[in-house]
Amino acid sequence: MARQQRATRTRHALIRSAAQVFAEQGFVAASLGAISRQAGVSNGALHFHFASKEALAEAVEAEAAATVLAITRAAHARHGDSLQAVVDATHELMGALARDVVVRGGFEAAGDVTRRRQSLLWEQWHRWVEDSLCRAERNGALARGVAWGDAAHVVIAATAGFEALGSEDGSWRARLSVTRFWELMLPRLADPDHLDTLVCAGSPAHPTELREPAG
């Protein structure tokens, strides 16, 4: 049992270390040696758990995807098919990118074009935004003439932009930046009868405060 616990701790340490190295150096520049040193384990221990850097990247993405899934499920549980669920989820996603190195490393690895594979992490976020806005349209929450697909493209592009720009300047992931986006977006997107009920800065019922990124 003790050996199994050590193996689990080592695996978690390697995933977190890989995420940090991916976030700081990018997937291509990251080396297995740097990851093992960051985790405080030998190269042999790393290869015992992960056959390649790609396998490590997939593990980091999987942990990041679990966090994103928790964010979207919580937003939907609070607000159902309201646009507020999408607003809250974008705030919390940016907050996770600011404070959680595994989420940052997962998105960094997911966006690397050299891996030549479809990003399950981005696909998961894209699908949730699209499904949420499709349901919102069916429930009359979108303004007349606004197609849910067009709205989804804008929201997905904005979050991808915040993620990418935030890797160089953390203010892009700050609550204020996301709030300003929604202040511009919601009057065009939301049905007028629903607009006054929406909070661009995130719902007051939000269970956690979004921490501002450092620098």
Side-chain angles (χ1 to χ4, degrees):
M1 180 62 70
R3 180 179 299 178
Q4 183 177 1
Q5 291 174 339
R6 285 196 300 271
T8 299
R9 287 196 298 269
T10 299
R11 179 182 172 83
H12 287 165
L14 285 166
I15 291 173
R16 185 170 183 83
S17 297
Q20 185 166 342
V21 175
F22 293 158
E24 292 174 353
Q25 301 180 15
F27 175 77
V28 172
S31 69
L32 293 179
I35 292 169
S36 62
R37 286 193 299 272
Q38 179 74 29
V41 303
S42 68
N43 284 337
L46 185 154
H47 285 288
F48 175 80
H49 290 279
F50 299 100
S52 65
K53 186 166 67 170
E54 176 60 33
L56 259 172
E58 290 176 3
V60 173
E61 270 197 73
E63 286 213 8
T67 298
V68 174
L69 181 61
I71 287 170
T72 55
R73 283 181 171 173
H76 186 262
R78 287 193 303 273
H79 300 292
D81 295 334
S82 168
L83 287 174
Q84 192 66 54
V86 181
V87 173
D88 281 12
T90 57
H91 275 290
E92 186 60 17
L93 177 61
M94 292 304 112
L97 282 163
R99 64 180 175 263
D100 188 334
V101 71
V102 174
V103 175
R104 283 199 305 279
F107 274 98
E108 178 64 36
D112 193 287
V113 297
T114 65
R115 294 177 64 200
R116 296 184 179 181
R117 61 183 294 277
Q118 187 174 16
S119 166
L120 298 180
L121 181 55
W122 272 117
E123 181 185 2
Q124 174 182 305
W125 174 250
H126 291 184
R127 186 169 58 249
W128 184 80
V129 171
E130 290 171 345
D131 289 348
S132 297
L133 290 172
C134 181
R135 292 193 301 269
E137 183 183 65
R138 287 200 302 265
N139 289 339
L142 298 190
R144 186 182 299 274
V146 174
W148 69 263
D150 294 338
H153 288 164
V154 173
V155 173
I156 291 165
T159 51
F162 289 141
E163 186 274 327
L165 292 166
S167 64
E168 299 295 331
D169 180 356
S171 68
W172 283 99
R173 295 170 178 160
R175 179 182 292 275
L176 181 59
S177 295
V178 182
T179 299
R180 285 173 173 168
F181 165 73
W182 284 115
E183 287 173 346
L184 290 169
M185 184 69 175
L186 282 178
R188 177 69 179 90
L189 179 63
D191 179 82
D193 291 340
H194 294 82
L195 184 58
D196 289 345
T197 68
L198 301 173
V199 183
C200 296
S203 169
H206 207 282
T208 58
E209 286 298 323
L210 180 64
R211 300 176 191 172
E212 298 290 351

